[in-house]
Amino acid sequence: MAFTHLPGGFPCFNHMPMPEKNACPFCTIDPAEILLENDHAVAFYDRFPVTPGHALVVPRRHVNSFFEITGEELAALWELLGRVREHLIAKRSPDAFNVGINDGVAAGQTVMHLHIHLIPRYSGDTEDPRGGVRWIMPVKAPYWKKG
Ligand code: AMP
Ligand code: ZN
């Protein structure tokens, strides 16, 4: 099956069906890379961080979408997200966080194993952080500029 590659030689799974779990980077994460974990979820640092400490929280089970998880998995992801946040606060003293899920290819998802981005933000890391996740649509993001 043909698939494209991301920087660093990592495959882009846009066109790859779910059964090819062995090719999934999050199903095959090196245990040494795991930052924190619980029964149903693991957390590790993003390999291509957008800010220092950018972490991913993922279910152990390979599911594409946030909307496919069970209540138990949801609770586990939530619990772990909170602990990763505490860890990052203790280690890096960020000033804020962006929390996000790209759910589906059209929404920008490139690894088809559900993951929650936890992105620490630091005052001054961008000139004007207003709008945050609204910048997925740059033309619409700065609503405060609309008359
Ligand atoms: P998304 O575009 O929301 O699917 O995000 C995929 C994320 O996975 C990106 O932020 C990548 O930097 C990250 N990533 C891709 N491969 C790996 C890997 N092997 N280990 C850790 N992070 C990865
Ligand atoms: Zn997977």
Side-chain angles (χ1 to χ4, degrees), residues 50-73:
V50 297
T51 67
H54 179 177
L56 300 174
V57 180
V58 318
R60 291 185 186 276
R61 186 169 67 96
H62 183 103
V63 288
N64 290 350
S65 170
F66 178 67
F67 301 101
E68 294 172 38
I69 57 174
T70 65
E72 211 173 353
E73 286 169 327

Side-chain angles (χ1 to χ4, degrees), residues 24 27 62 113:
C24 173
C27 283
H62 183 103
H113 181 141

Side-chain angles (χ1 to χ4, degrees), residues 18 20-28 59-63 111-114:
M18 216 178 95
E20 300 202 20
K21 289 203 306 187
N22 290 341
C24 173
F26 299 167
C27 283
T28 53
R60 291 185 186 276
R61 186 169 67 96
H62 183 103
V63 288
V111 174
M112 302 312 289
H113 181 141
L114 164 63

Side-chain angles (χ1 to χ4, degrees), residues 6 10 25-26 29 33 44-49 54 56 101-102 108-112 115 117:
L6 294 170
F10 292 94
F26 299 167
I29 198 82
E33 288 184 31
F44 45 86
Y45 287 118
D46 194 293
R47 191 166 288 193
F48 307 97
H54 179 177
L56 300 174
I101 299 172
N102 296 326
Q109 187 173 2
T110 58
V111 174
M112 302 312 289
H115 48 283
H117 293 261

Side-chain angles (χ1 to χ4, degrees), residues 38-41 57 71-81 83:
N38 62 25
D39 280 356
H40 292 287
V57 180
E72 211 173 353
E73 286 169 327
L74 177 62
L77 288 167
W78 189 251
E79 189 273 337
L80 194 56
L81 187 67
R83 275 202 288 135

Side-chain angles (χ1 to χ4, degrees), residues 1-16 23 48 110:
M1 173 176 301
F3 53 89
T4 55
H5 281 75
L6 294 170
F10 292 94
C12 169
F13 294 87
N14 287 5
H15 309 294
M16 192 172 277
F48 307 97
T110 58

